[in-house]
Amino acid sequence: MNEKSSFHTVRGYELIAQESKVLTPAMEDYLEMIYRNSLDTGLLRSNTLSGLLNVHPSSVTKMLQKLSRLGYVDYQKYGIIFLTEKGIAAGKFLYRRHQIVEEFLNFIGNCRTPLVETELIEHHIRPEMLGNIEMFIRFLDENPDCIERFQMFRKNALQPQSE
Ligand code: ZN
């Protein structure tokens, strides 16, 4: 399988997005964070997660219990978190969504706070628009000259007008 065949279709997004309807933005942040930090080992410790999210351990425990009840994580003893199959699917989608939005924002401008800006958009964007943006990013990847031309255009446009 090459890169292109792993391209998510809009349909794929819709399926996962529907599944994720029960998730609040905070839950989405947790799942995304757990997913991206358990990619290597398949698990994450709750105190590590608490540090990563900068959230008090007791709040993390509460949230993990909620996510566990919803079937996204397996969280029982010793503060070790595993994502369930459903949790992995959701986490993968949320992580990918984050990357698409961030890549797009980085393309359109030298964003000073890409993480904050991405956060503002990612939880509210609808699958169809996300699919459109992914399509656009894919186009840019295959047409680097367009990136250069846009950067030049932006540079000129932002130059202070001389009298
Ligand atoms: Zn995110």
Side-chain angles (χ1 to χ4, degrees):
M1 274 223 283
N2 61 21
E3 266 296 298
K4 269 176 219 161
S5 57
S6 65
F7 173 66
H8 291 72
T9 59
V10 172
R11 175 106 184 96
Y13 281 133
E14 276 167 356
L15 286 174
I16 305 174
Q18 245 158 27
E19 166 92 347
S20 304
K21 259 195 190 124
V22 286
L23 298 171
T24 63
M27 290 173 174
E28 290 189 341
D29 283 341
Y30 270 72
L31 285 175
E32 186 191 322
M33 194 59 104
I34 297 168
Y35 178 79
R36 68 201 291 178
N37 289 285
S38 63
L39 274 174
D40 296 339
T41 54
L43 59 87
L44 187 67
R45 287 177 188 283
S46 64
N47 51 7
T48 308
L49 181 63
S50 145
L52 288 167
L53 290 164
N54 205 10
V55 172
H56 195 271
S58 65
S59 312
V60 170
T61 303
K62 254 183 227 160
M63 182 59 99
L64 288 172
Q65 283 164 349
K66 267 186 214 165
L67 289 170
S68 170
R69 255 178 269 132
L70 290 167
Y72 288 98
V73 303
D74 192 344
Y75 174 66
Q76 291 155 358
K77 285 175 200 160
Y78 317 115
I80 293 173
I81 313 158
F82 295 95
L83 286 173
T84 61
E85 207 174 307
K86 183 175 156 183
I88 291 171
K92 195 173 183 177
F93 166 72
L94 296 168
Y95 184 35
R96 181 78 190 120
R97 184 180 70 180
H98 181 105
Q99 289 175 312
I100 291 169
V101 172
E102 192 172 4
E103 210 176 311
F104 177 68
L105 292 179
N106 280 328
F107 169 71
I108 58 172
N110 295 322
C111 190
R112 266 175 302 153
T113 53
L115 268 177
V116 177
E117 298 295 329
T118 303
E119 273 295 309
L120 289 173
I121 295 171
E122 66 179 344
H123 300 296
H124 307 287
I125 193 167
R126 285 191 296 202
E128 195 185 355
M129 187 53 64
L130 189 66
N132 290 343
I133 294 177
E134 184 171 31
M135 182 72 80
F136 179 64
I137 286 169
R138 223 180 110 199
F139 166 79
L140 291 177
D141 280 343
E142 290 181 18
N143 298 275
D145 57 304
C146 291
I147 301 180
E148 275 167 43
R149 275 161 53 207
F150 177 68
Q151 282 169 345
M152 192 57 78
F153 174 84
R154 183 174 60 199
K155 199 178 152 204
N156 291 335
L158 291 176
Q159 225 138 52
Q161 304 287 320
S162 52
E163 50 264 41

